Amino acid sequence: MRRLTYFIGYSIDGFIAGSEGQYDSSCFDGDLKAAILAEFPETIPAHVRGLLGIAGTANRKFDTVLMGRGAYESGLQGDAASPYPHLRQYVFSSSLTRPRPEVNVVAGDPVEFVRGLKQQPGISI
């Protein structure tokens, strides 16, 4: 059975966004940056992978990403509609339509969906 990992970034006060919902700052430097690039390069969105020189790096831990609509939309840059083209992407939303063929929208029960996903072949989610 595949493993589901809750992998997020947040500040010491427990938030993943600023008080106004902004995602413009993270402490992605030094040892943290080195560790994420070495162990979890697939967690970096496509528009940043190129800037960091890891665009062609293979997935090490995950082959699937699960997001809510807010997280999905915050990962979009420019005209991109697919923040993680190197992963299978699932967005949980009852109002979003399928933006691109490589992005799957799940409108149903997330618990049942994830249970089924964990039974499929692949590496971690």
Side-chain angles (χ1 to χ4, degrees):
M1 178 180 293
R2 297 167 70 192
R3 171 177 260 174
L4 173 66
T5 301
Y6 186 59
F7 188 95
I8 63 165
Y10 62 92
S11 63
I12 198 159
D13 61 3
F15 292 96
I16 63 171
S19 60
E20 303 296 317
Q22 69 273 26
Y23 293 90
D24 58 353
S25 176
S26 69
C27 297
F28 187 66
D29 245 339
D31 292 343
L32 175 63
K33 179 179 179 181
I36 289 175
L37 293 179
E39 295 294 321
F40 307 100
E42 62 272 35
T43 64
I44 306 296
H47 72 279
V48 179
R49 288 170 66 94
L51 297 172
L52 295 174
I54 63 166
T57 303
N59 297 342
R60 296 206 168 96
K61 307 280 184 188
F62 309 110
D63 67 2
T64 303
V65 61
L66 308 175
M67 304 168 270
R69 182 179 185 157
Y72 167 71
E73 290 177 341
S74 73
L76 300 177
Q77 292 293 316
D79 61 356
S82 177
Y84 299 98
H86 50 283
L87 297 169
R88 288 187 286 179
Q89 302 171 86
Y90 296 95
V91 179
F92 294 98
S93 174
S94 59
S95 59
L96 185 68
T97 58
R98 190 168 186 176
R100 297 277 301 258
E102 62 270 20
V103 178
N104 300 288
V105 176
V106 180
D109 180 12
V111 173
E112 286 304 313
F113 179 80
V114 171
R115 283 184 181 141
L117 197 59
K118 288 173 71 175
Q119 300 300 320
Q120 295 176 9
I123 55 178
S124 293
I125 305 162

